[in-house]
Amino acid sequence: MGGGRDAMALFTSRGPVAEVFRFGLVPIACRARNEDRSQVALSLNNNEVNIYGRAASEWKLQETLQGHDLRVTGIDWAPSTNRIVTCGAVTFLDITET
């Protein structure tokens, strides 16, 4: 499923150095960070959103949000309210009148 390559996320810090972290073997569909950049919400190309918190030089899984039927396609994290909003793929039904 992942082709044997790690899913990576590149996070730029407030300085000139970027950090690269590995979160698994599947593609990261979307991601967002909280205001102080101590947490990241990401979806690994499925219907879940994983919340990771920074612990020293690693990211530790804190919570898994479930609720979408299909793949999560977008995540945003509001800085002032600390709320996460997600959107997901939809299935279109062809309803014809008979």
Side-chain angles (χ1 to χ4, degrees):
M1 178 157 69
R5 298 186 324 192
D6 286 342
M8 294 185 289
L10 175 68
F11 298 139
T12 56
S13 62
R14 298 195 194 278
V17 179
E19 300 173 284
V20 176
F21 296 95
R22 299 184 192 308
F23 291 96
L25 296 175
V26 295
I28 296 173
C30 49
R31 66 176 175 88
R33 293 180 78 177
N34 68 343
E35 184 177 21
D36 69 1
R37 297 173 177 232
S38 63
Q39 293 178 298
V40 62
L42 54 89
S43 180
L44 298 176
N45 205 31
N46 60 23
N47 65 333
E48 298 176 341
V49 174
N50 295 319
I51 310 281
Y52 289 87
R54 187 75 183 257
S57 63
E58 295 181 5
W59 292 94
K60 298 283 186 182
L61 181 64
Q62 295 179 329
E63 185 86 28
T64 298
L65 307 177
Q66 299 174 335
H68 286 279
D69 292 330
L70 300 174
R71 184 173 57 91
V72 176
T73 58
I75 304 172
D76 199 6
W77 201 320
S80 59
T81 62
N82 200 36
R83 292 184 180 186
I84 297 171
V85 64
T86 63
C87 58
V90 296
T91 301
F92 291 101
L93 301 175
D94 183 16
I95 300 174
T96 57
E97 294 184 38
T98 56

